[in-house]
Amino acid sequence: MEKTILQLNEMLGDIEAISDDQFQEVMKFEVEPFLDSIRKTGFFSRESNKNLYYEEYLSLEATQNIVICHGFAENTEKYKEMIYYFYRENCNVFIMDHQGHGNSFRMVEDYSVTHVELFDDYVEDLKAFMSKKVKPDSQQLPIILYTHSMGGAIGGSYLEKYPNDFSKAIFSSPMFEINTGNMPLWVTKLIADFNVMIGHKKDHIYVQEKFNPKERLEDSCSSSNVRYSYYFQKRLNNEHYQNNCGTYSWLKQSILATKELLKIEKLQKINIPIIIFQAENDSLVKANSQNLFAQGVKDAQIVFVPISQHEIYMARSKIITPFLNKLFEFIR
């Protein structure tokens, strides 16, 4: 395992993130209109009447494909800036809303609440996406996985189960173990198990809040006020983007899945190059489990990102720029 520290004061290449002071204007008048002009959208289903929303951005200049696997309480809309960077660097881009997120089907009525029956459902949804949409439109070019947070747990589990679908994988602040703060993980799991057992599996976790229209930047995982505010306005205007808390079933399944994917015999099934971006000020996931993952797979490097919070791709431009350059250096 190789571990490097991202140098925030050095340009590692020729890619530059949209500057903080121009972000709102560039996104509104350049990036989003452009993406709107090339985007293909639709729904597919793995099971009857359970529609999953997806988007594709295909380029005649593409040299590879990127599949984005978003995190907990996120959706396709939050990744417009990253989609733009990938497309600009000659990538076809594919992204779907996980079940219980965005415009995909839900099993609870409250749009604030994120529920799943089995964590493996996320993995099998991604497999169906690959089979039905990504591979047919991939132009037989290499397919690279890009994940964030919970998407990292989905992606890691996927690579163990289906090791031959991707040529490389990028993990940004992957959720290989949830940070439960002062409460031991086993106590958290006991609480989740108990609530599922007594019939409260679809109730939201008591320590998590539902969507708050008065949420502040300080309550988020971003360090960029302009990026946070831009996306938060979209959340205010669309209830489909208002996921904010998980159910006891989601919590139980996530703990079980992350424990399972860190088993050494599972990690040894992953044989593609891996890069893990590890945020210094990450309060949601544990860095030690990211280290264990990197040590257990065949070919991995960890890039430590100073001063960043959990959402590296929603940080200030001075953090995103070297992050992007290191990411594309890995892809190339």
Side-chain angles (χ1 to χ4, degrees):
M1 177 188 72
E2 175 190 353
K3 189 165 185 176
T4 60
I5 299 176
L6 204 61
Q7 299 299 315
L8 301 186
N9 59 346
E10 293 182 9
M11 287 295 293
L12 301 180
D14 56 0
I15 301 170
E16 188 170 354
I18 301 168
S19 67
D20 296 329
D21 58 349
Q22 296 180 325
F23 182 80
Q24 297 266 359
E25 182 177 347
V26 172
M27 286 297 295
K28 185 175 181 179
F29 296 109
E30 295 183 30
V31 174
E32 294 215 38
F34 172 71
L35 293 179
D36 289 345
S37 72
I38 62 171
R39 180 172 57 245
K40 172 186 175 183
T41 68
F43 291 87
F44 71 97
S45 59
R46 179 172 63 87
E47 300 179 67
S48 178
N49 299 320
K50 292 183 177 181
N51 291 327
L52 295 159
Y53 174 77
Y54 75 95
E55 296 180 359
E56 293 183 7
Y57 301 82
L58 304 180
S59 170
L60 294 175
E61 307 297 324
T63 57
Q64 60 237 326
N65 301 280
I66 298 291
V67 175
I68 297 176
C69 191
H70 72 71
F72 172 74
E74 297 186 331
N75 52 73
T76 57
E77 190 64 34
K78 194 173 182 180
Y79 282 79
K80 290 297 186 282
E81 183 182 4
M82 287 301 299
I83 290 169
Y84 175 68
Y85 296 139
F86 281 126
Y87 187 89
R88 195 175 64 182
E89 294 299 312
N90 297 329
C91 299
N92 292 323
V93 186
F94 302 82
I95 183 171
M96 60 173 281
D97 285 339
H98 300 307
Q99 60 173 272
H101 294 76
N103 294 303
S104 290
F105 80 92
R106 297 167 185 255
M107 288 183 282
V108 292
E109 294 183 3
D110 191 335
Y111 284 96
S112 280
V113 180
T114 306
H115 175 74
V116 74
E117 290 287 316
L118 296 171
F119 199 88
D120 194 56
D121 287 339
Y122 290 136
V123 177
E124 289 304 311
D125 289 345
L126 180 57
K127 180 62 175 177
F129 185 42
M130 290 288 290
S131 300
K132 295 185 176 186
K133 301 299 175 183
V134 178
K135 288 184 178 180
D137 290 343
S138 67
Q139 303 168 24
Q140 296 184 322
L141 296 170
I143 305 175
I144 299 169
L145 179 64
Y146 172 85
T147 77
H148 170 68
S149 194
M150 182 188 79
I154 297 169
S157 300
Y158 187 100
L159 295 176
E160 292 173 348
K161 193 172 185 178
Y162 304 108
N164 300 316
D165 282 358
F166 292 100
S167 61
K168 294 181 180 181
I170 302 155
F171 292 88
S172 173
S173 305
M175 186 188 82
F176 295 150
E177 183 180 349
I178 299 171
N179 187 347
T180 55
N182 295 326
M183 183 178 293
L185 186 64
W186 69 268
V187 175
T188 303
K189 184 179 182 300
L190 189 64
I191 292 171
D193 288 345
F194 177 74
N195 278 276
V196 170
M197 183 182 68
I198 63 174
H200 294 308
K201 67 179 182 178
K202 291 185 178 181
D203 292 354
H204 82 275
I205 306 164
Y206 75 97
V207 294
Q208 293 184 343
E209 295 182 356
K210 294 187 178 183
F211 177 72
N212 178 8
K214 296 183 179 180
E215 182 186 86
R216 306 166 303 161
L217 171 68
E218 293 77 15
D219 302 319
S220 75
C221 302
S222 169
S223 63
S224 169
N225 186 54
V226 291
R227 286 174 171 80
Y228 168 78
S229 299
Y230 190 83
Y231 174 63
F232 191 71
Q233 188 61 49
K234 294 177 181 291
R235 297 186 74 199
L236 287 172
N237 296 333
N238 191 329
E239 64 180 3
H240 291 270
Y241 303 155
Q242 293 177 3
N243 294 70
N244 217 66
C245 56
T247 63
Y248 286 106
S249 177
W250 178 90
L251 179 59
K252 175 181 179 178
Q253 289 298 316
S254 296
I255 293 172
L256 289 173
T258 50
K259 181 179 180 180
E260 188 70 18
L261 75 84
L262 287 177
K263 290 182 177 179
I264 188 63
E265 64 270 21
K266 294 288 187 70
L267 294 174
Q268 289 174 346
K269 296 179 180 180
I270 300 176
N271 54 17
I272 60 173
I274 301 287
I275 189 169
I276 299 171
F277 290 93
Q278 192 175 86
E280 179 179 21
N281 298 321
D282 198 327
S283 61
L284 297 187
V285 298
K286 290 193 173 182
N288 184 57
S289 293
Q290 296 168 359
N291 296 338
L292 291 174
F293 182 91
Q295 291 166 3
V297 302
K298 182 179 179 180
D299 181 3
Q301 59 176 302
I302 289 181
V303 178
F304 182 78
V305 185
I307 75 175
S308 177
Q309 296 187 51
H310 181 64
E311 294 177 350
I312 301 171
Y313 73 104
M314 292 284 284
R316 296 187 295 278
S317 298
K318 70 176 184 179
I319 296 174
I320 297 180
T321 291
F323 164 69
L324 288 174
N325 280 286
K326 190 66 176 178
L327 185 157
F328 283 108
E329 177 187 279
F330 172 76
I331 288 176
R332 298 188 188 111

